[in-house]
Each structure stands twice: as structure tokens, then as C-alpha cells.
Amino acid sequence: MGSSRSHWEDVYTAKAETAVSWYQRHAVQSLQMIAAAAADRTVPVIDIGGGASTLVDDLLAEGYGDITVLDVAEAALAKSKARLGAAASKVSWIVADITQWKPPRHYRVWHDRAVFHFLTDTPRQDAYIAALEAATEPGATAIMATFALDGPEKCSGLPVQRYSPQTLAARLGRSFRLIDEARETHKTPGGSDQHFSYSVLRRL
Ligand SMILES: C[S@@+](CC[C@H](N)C(=O)[O-])C[C@H]1O[C@@H](n2cnc3c(N)ncnc32)[C@H](O)[C@@H]1O
């Protein structure tokens, strides 16, 4: 199961954060899309399944003042906290399964790179979408990156559901409108190419 806490705890315990297939030195595409969505850097931004990504480092460096990182694996967040040192105290950290999480507040920007695509069954996808809707108000932006339709069929040894921006928007439903998109060829630390699809969706 894609959300199995033990799977993800094991991954982050066994591997260096720079050795996992999804590692990026900088989440450049994500940063660009977040900057376009949040000119005001005081707005709340949440990274869903942020893992040990350096996105949080770069958001702090760019002056974002209200950052939350959520992940099912405590070991992943521990890596980011250790990397950030004292700056980690400026970030809200949440250990939770997104399909069971009840958002306590609203966020202006929701970011997810390579998390929703692990949800291959309808009930868990619906639970994720319910959390996304509960965490956002009209005008908020969801930035979601999944494997593209021509991307890999598995990630971290788990099956994934691949999307185009259009199929993702259709799956999210009428509360969201696709406003921007991009494709990215991610080079894994092992040297493989993976096609990602990025979608920017406005909450209606
Ligand atoms: C492929 S990694 C991507 C990590 C990060 N977004 C990045 O781009 O580097 C998927 C991440 O989602 C987390 N994850 C998987 N299922 C989850 C769930 N149901 N709820 C919250 N986090 C989850 C994993 O622990 C892992 O950190």
C-alpha cells in the first residue's frame, strides 16, 4: 500500500536522502509554480508528502513565512529538520497519512510532488481530495506533480496512477480548474529519465 507508514519509514531509514529516485537538488519547477501562485510570501503554503525534499529549504530562503510540511514518514521529516538545523523551528511539521488527515486550518498553496499518484484506489483518492478541499478556500492554488501518462508505472517499488494535467483535473472534480501545466524529465540519481506532469489548479 502506497501509504504504508512502515514502507516509507524503511525507505528513509535505509537510504540517504540524496539516493532516493525522486531526489532533486532543487525543486525548480515547484518553486517557480509556487512563486507564481504566492506573490505574497506570508500566505500559508503546505507541502504534502514533502519527505526530505529541499523545497522547504528554498522556500525559507525565498522568504516564505508560513510553511508546513506533512509526511507519513517521521524519518523523512527528521532528515529535513536535521539539514535545516535551527531554521527547522520556523516550519510546522506534521506526521500524518494524507488520506486520514483532518486539516486544522486553510492553506493558500497546496504542493504535492509524487504523492497523490501512489493512491491507486478510488476510496483513498477520494479521501485525499476531501482533505485538499477541506484545507483550501476558493482562490487557493494546488500544485500537483505526478508521473506523466508516459512516465514509469512504479515508484519506490509501488504501483502508481499516471496522469496528464487534464486527467488529473478531471479526477479532482468541479472544485478545481486547471490554470497551468508543465512537463518535466526528472533525472534520477541512478541516471534514469522519468517523465513528470505538473498541474496548477485553482480552487473554485
Ligand atoms: C516519491 S516521495 C516524494 C517526496 C517529495 N515530495 C519529493 O518530491 O522529494 C513520496 C513521499 O510521500 C510520502 N507519502 C506516501 N504516502 C503518503 C500518505 N498517504 N500521506 C502522507 N505522505 C505520504 C512518502 O513518505 C514520501 O516522502
Side-chain angles (χ1 to χ4, degrees):
M1 278 232 311
S3 73
S4 154
R5 182 160 291 181
S6 60
H7 171 85
W8 293 106
E9 296 285 7
D10 289 350
V11 166
Y12 285 104
T13 305
K15 289 194 176 186
E17 63 201 83
T18 52
V20 292
S21 60
W22 51 92
Y23 172 72
Q24 297 174 291
R25 203 161 157 193
H26 297 284
V28 175
Q29 183 63 63
S30 299
L31 284 163
Q32 281 174 7
M33 286 174 160
I34 292 169
D40 173 358
R41 302 206 166 177
T42 66
V43 301
V45 177
I46 186 165
D47 189 16
I48 301 298
S53 168
T54 62
L55 179 64
V56 62
D57 309 42
D58 290 333
L59 290 174
L60 283 169
E62 291 186 14
Y64 290 87
D66 187 347
I67 306 167
T68 301
V69 183
L70 176 149
D71 203 281
V72 74
E74 197 160 11
L77 300 184
K79 292 198 175 201
S80 284
K81 288 182 196 173
R83 197 179 58 238
L84 286 167
S89 64
K90 297 181 186 163
V91 177
S92 298
W93 306 94
I94 300 174
V95 177
D97 180 332
I98 189 57
T99 64
Q100 291 167 19
W101 183 57
K102 304 281 178 250
R105 60 183 293 210
H106 289 124
Y107 300 88
R108 193 72 186 166
V109 179
W110 171 287
H111 174 266
D112 163 347
R113 174 174 179 267
V115 185
F116 183 67
H117 72 187
F118 287 110
L119 306 178
T120 55
D121 61 280
T122 303
R124 291 172 71 245
Q125 291 171 355
D126 287 345
Y128 177 108
I129 295 166
L132 167 57
E133 290 186 349
T136 52
E137 295 179 299
T141 304
I143 298 163
M144 295 176 60
T146 66
F147 280 169
L149 291 179
D150 59 355
E153 294 178 4
K154 286 192 166 189
C155 180
S156 191
L158 302 169
V160 301
Q161 175 75 52
R162 298 174 294 178
Y163 295 92
S164 66
Q166 291 70 28
T167 63
L168 180 67
R171 183 64 189 90
L172 294 185
R174 288 195 197 152
S175 300
F176 293 89
R177 182 166 54 88
L178 183 66
I179 58 168
D180 196 11
E181 59 183 84
R183 271 174 67 83
E184 179 180 73
T185 302
H186 168 62
K187 185 76 84 181
T188 71
S192 308
D193 286 344
Q194 296 182 331
H195 293 153
F196 273 80
S197 169
Y198 284 73
S199 304
V200 182
L201 303 122
R202 173 71 31 84
R203 175 79 202 272
L204 302 176

